Amino acid sequence: MPEVHVERFLPFPPEKVYPLAKDLEGLKPFLPDIKTLRVLGREGNRTRTEWVGVAMGKKVRWIEEEEWDDVHLRNRFWSPEGDFDRYEGTWVFLPENGGTRVVLDLTYELTLPLFGSLLKQLVHKLMEENAASLLKGLEDRVRAG
């Protein structure tokens, strides 16, 4: 299964970065490929969200469950329903030199008819770009306050 690993150093402490990452709806303006991001529910340290993005002109929709660990500054997420056959991963927020290293790992499987190896490579590149865009969006959000 394809895996994506992206990291980004943000020159802000985890106590500033982590709460803004948890506010997923607040990230939406910083994610150009995401057309809809809405919170469906919150219960304790869990959040359920609906995401709709556009990739290669096609709409991709998924429900995402997030489990936030405020003590260890981690997030585990997975998609129980939607267009992905498998979609799961983690965010980790590591203190580093007065800032935060944000590490995003994602495993996904997206089975679409007539996907040749070239198209699968393109999808993987898009997944990497979107993961990097999410971390850049988080940085932009933290900078904006």
Side-chain angles (χ1 to χ4, degrees), residues 19 30 35 51 55 65 67 71 91 93 96 102-103 110 112 116 131 136:
F30 300 94
K35 300 307 172 202
W51 299 67
E65 300 273 349
E67 200 170 68
V71 172
W91 282 29
F93 302 82
E96 183 181 298
V102 183
V103 179
L110 183 61
L112 296 174
K136 172 74 169 85

Side-chain angles (χ1 to χ4, degrees), residues 28-46:
K28 163 64 181 86
F30 300 94
L31 304 172
D33 292 333
I34 300 299
K35 300 307 172 202
T36 306
L37 193 172
R38 96 188 147 99
V39 173
L40 303 175
R42 287 189 176 92
E43 187 176 323
N45 67 340
R46 293 183 72 151

Side-chain angles (χ1 to χ4, degrees), residues 13-138:
E15 53 272 7
K16 185 169 184 180
V17 174
Y18 181 77
L20 292 175
K22 284 179 71 172
D23 176 19
L24 295 169
E25 283 180 315
L27 283 174
K28 163 64 181 86
F30 300 94
L31 304 172
D33 292 333
I34 300 299
K35 300 307 172 202
T36 306
L37 193 172
R38 96 188 147 99
V39 173
L40 303 175
R42 287 189 176 92
E43 187 176 323
N45 67 340
R46 293 183 72 151
T47 308
R48 183 176 175 90
T49 52
E50 178 183 38
W51 299 67
V52 177
V54 174
M56 300 179 299
K58 304 272 187 209
K59 184 169 84 167
V60 180
R61 179 192 167 275
W62 68 99
I63 300 296
E64 190 168 306
E65 300 273 349
E66 292 94 14
E67 200 170 68
W68 297 91
D69 180 345
D70 297 343
V71 172
H72 299 101
L73 303 177
R74 298 179 53 91
N75 166 274
R76 184 174 75 88
F77 59 89
W78 65 96
S79 178
E81 64 182 86
D83 293 328
F84 288 94
D85 299 302
R86 181 176 178 194
Y87 183 91
E88 62 187 31
T90 59
W91 282 29
V92 181
F93 302 82
L94 304 167
E96 183 181 298
N97 298 324
T100 306
R101 177 156 305 276
V102 183
V103 179
L104 173 61
D105 287 300
L106 168 66
T107 301
Y108 71 92
E109 187 172 0
L110 183 61
T111 304
L112 296 174
L114 306 175
F115 258 35
S117 64
L118 186 60
L119 200 47
K120 285 182 182 180
Q121 290 173 15
L122 178 59
V123 168
H124 188 71
K125 183 171 175 33
L126 286 171
M127 294 297 287
E128 289 176 330
E129 289 173 358
N130 284 333
S133 175
L134 179 63
L135 298 190
K136 172 74 169 85
L138 175 59

